[in-house]
Amino acid sequence: MSPTGGVILAFAVMLAAAVGFLAMRHIRRPEKVTVKAGEGVISTRGGRRVQSAPRPDAPPRFEGQPEPPRREPRFKGRQEKAQPAPPAVADPQLTGPVVLEAAWSQSVFHGARDDGAGFKVAVRVATARGRSHAYNGEPGQDAAGVVWCEHRRSIFLVVADGLGSKPDSGLVAHGLVEEVIGRAAELQVSESPTGMLASVVTATEHWVRQKRLDGASTLAVAEVRLGRDGHEVLTWGIGDSEAWVLADGAWEPLHHERRADAENITRHLPGHHDMHRSRRQLRRNSVITVASDGFASALAKDSPLARELADQWRKPPAALDFLSRVNFEDPYFNDDRAAVAVWIR
Amino acid sequence: MSTNYAPDGARMSRVRTYLIYLVLDTSESMRRPSREAPQHGNAQEHFQRLIPQMIKQLSQHPVIHSQAAVSVVAFNDEPDVLRPMTALNRSASISVPRLGYGTDYAAVLRFLGTQHASDARKVKLDRVQENYAVEVAAPWIFFITDGRPGNSERYQELSEWIGYRDALVNEPTGARIVAIGLPGADGDTLYRLATGQPTGARNAFIAERGSNLRELSQSVVRAIEASISTSTGTGLLTINTPAGMRRIDGLTS
């Protein structure tokens, strides 16, 4: 290249850089103007107002609200980008009685109930056929139900576990839960739940005999009473279905009939009349769980499941999450599952 | 029913495991083909072929294989462990039974009573895991025989073996026994050996006259397999009558 050519080339490069610098000065950065909780970030760009969707990983915050704690990725080796949490779905109001059974499928219900005096309970119910029945091509035999009693301003939780050794036990368990739920919904303040349950025991014996059913079931019932002076739970049980309370991260049994020996024998209906009873005062944020032994027998004061749920159930989980916790996988636990849980808010 | 509750039962979560004994008579008569149909072979050769197949089937069951352990015990003049008590999800070979002639009930029942304690300890250790107490259910015994109790010299009186049977089925072992009688077995002996169901019927079965030994062996093994499969789910030993057999209703004398 000649000296003249080199001078011309250098001049051209300098001219191009100068034009570029002047052009950049005219590009305006977007200007944030407002931020509101529940709305997107509104910005102006090039004189036009644009509303963007809220960023799921950075929810809008009120002024003065502290930064949320940064979540550490669970698997540090992979450093994956955290997935956005699913949007919270409000629980539908628990209006009528709910009864689920576990013959061939897994079922779950979620709901909530406001007592009208400032207390609220979140409700989860799940049933699942156990692996033993599933692999033998047999129906599950557990049932569970929940009902709000308007007269007593309380909620009833019911679980029945059909005995696997009898073919009609699933039918008996389902009928038993329906009977208790139906009567509990209409129970008056002046009436005794113990008396109501005693009449259910008698009615069940009569019904099983009349229909010539070859079936039997355990029964566990809890009534959660909410009150300004404190909440309480009362439990009734016949057999190895259980009731537990989770409070301050610790599980305590309300009703269980675990045996000292290794016999797989339980009290059941029809056949047994005496109901074991308990009564316990409750605090807010307590979780009451009534469950068949397929789930409850894995609970203990310090069992792996109890530890895991003490963490996971601090708040009511999403419905499917509740179902998957109730239907946990373990090679030693293959029985049907039924569980009802309420969170006192 | 007793209410044997553990006051602190909710302190630990417990898992249940089942010990199952397949007890096979290997006396001289078990190696003898039936007179009516010698072409069908003898009972011992059929069971030696079918029992390993059944254990393989059960070991492939996704629920049972983690809950049950099986031992195979042969007996003639003396007991002989062919497969030590091993969980179904662990492999273990099954050896060939020693040659013998007698049908010594007393020796094998006494042996099962002492063996069960060490088998239960072994399985507990084998199954131990964090925060789960492993409880061993009462053992289930499937007892297959074709003869009256006796050693190579003489028959055994009831009083010579019933005490060992009672010790086995009473607490603390609480064994449940299914007695299966092939052609030649004595109905009263089987009835006395077996334990009952809640309905009152005893799990004692005897072959119908003219049963084909090969088919009978197959139906017995099928019934045992189905029984283990169902009973492990419910925790209660139940068994349907094998094809070619009938349930023994009671004593004849």
Side-chain angles (χ1 to χ4, degrees), chain B residues 17 39 79 84 86 108 123 130 141 154-155 171 179 186 192 199-201 208 214 220 223 239:
Chain B
T17 189
Q39 72 276 17
T86 311
V108 73
V123 167
E130 186 203 4
I141 299 170
R154 60 176 181 83
Y155 285 123
E171 295 300 329
D186 174 54
R192 288 192 170 101
T199 55
E208 304 273 22
R214 187 168 56 203
V220 165
I239 182 168

Side-chain angles (χ1 to χ4, degrees), chain A residues 131-132 135-136 164 256-265 267 272 297-298 300-301 307 331-334, chain B residues 1-2 4-6 9-16 61-63 66-67 127 129-131 136 176 229 234-235:
Chain A
R131 295 202 318 157
S132 259
Y135 282 109
N136 288 336
H256 80 87
E257 295 184 12
R258 296 186 185 185
R259 297 177 61 90
D261 56 29
E263 290 290 347
N264 190 25
I265 302 172
R267 299 196 306 141
H272 295 86
S297 63
K301 289 181 180 174
R307 285 200 300 268
Y332 285 99
F333 293 87
N334 299 300
Chain B
M1 180 175 54
S2 65
N4 192 9
Y5 303 127
R11 194 171 55 82
M12 285 287 282
S13 177
R14 299 193 292 181
V15 295
R16 185 178 289 114
H61 193 292
V63 175
S66 59
Q67 290 188 315
R127 299 279 195 197
Q129 53 179 296
E130 186 203 4
N131 291 317
V136 179
R176 314 289 195 260
S229 190
T234 62

Side-chain angles (χ1 to χ4, degrees), chain A residues 133-144:
Chain A
H133 280 138
Y135 282 109
N136 288 336
E138 298 162 347
Q141 296 175 314
D142 285 7

Side-chain angles (χ1 to χ4, degrees), chain A residues 165 259 261-266, chain B residues 1-2 4 16-23 69 71 85 109 112-113 116 135-144 164-180 190-199 201-205 224 227-228 231-232 234-239 247:
Chain A
S165 54
R259 297 177 61 90
D261 56 29
E263 290 290 347
N264 190 25
I265 302 172
T266 179
Chain B
M1 180 175 54
S2 65
N4 192 9
R16 185 178 289 114
T17 189
Y18 299 92
L19 303 193
I20 298 162
Y21 293 92
L22 300 174
V23 179
S71 174
M85 185 59 73
L109 293 170
L112 289 171
H116 172 257
E135 61 183 26
V136 179
W140 298 340
I141 299 170
F142 295 90
F143 198 102
I144 304 166
Y164 296 116
R165 178 265 185 201
D166 291 344
L168 196 55
V169 303
N170 292 337
E171 295 300 329
T173 307
R176 314 289 195 260
I177 301 178
V178 175
I180 297 169
L190 296 169
Y191 189 83
R192 288 192 170 101
L193 178 64
T195 55
Q197 292 182 333
T199 55
R202 285 205 179 181
N203 287 322
F205 306 94
I224 293 173
S227 169
I228 293 172
S231 306
T232 310
T234 62
L236 296 171
L237 179 59
T238 51
I239 182 168
R247 192 181 287 270

Side-chain angles (χ1 to χ4, degrees), chain A residues 70 80 89 114 155 246 249 332 338:
Chain A
R70 179 181 288 272
E80 286 182 343
V89 178
D114 196 326
I155 190 163
L246 170 63
Y332 285 99

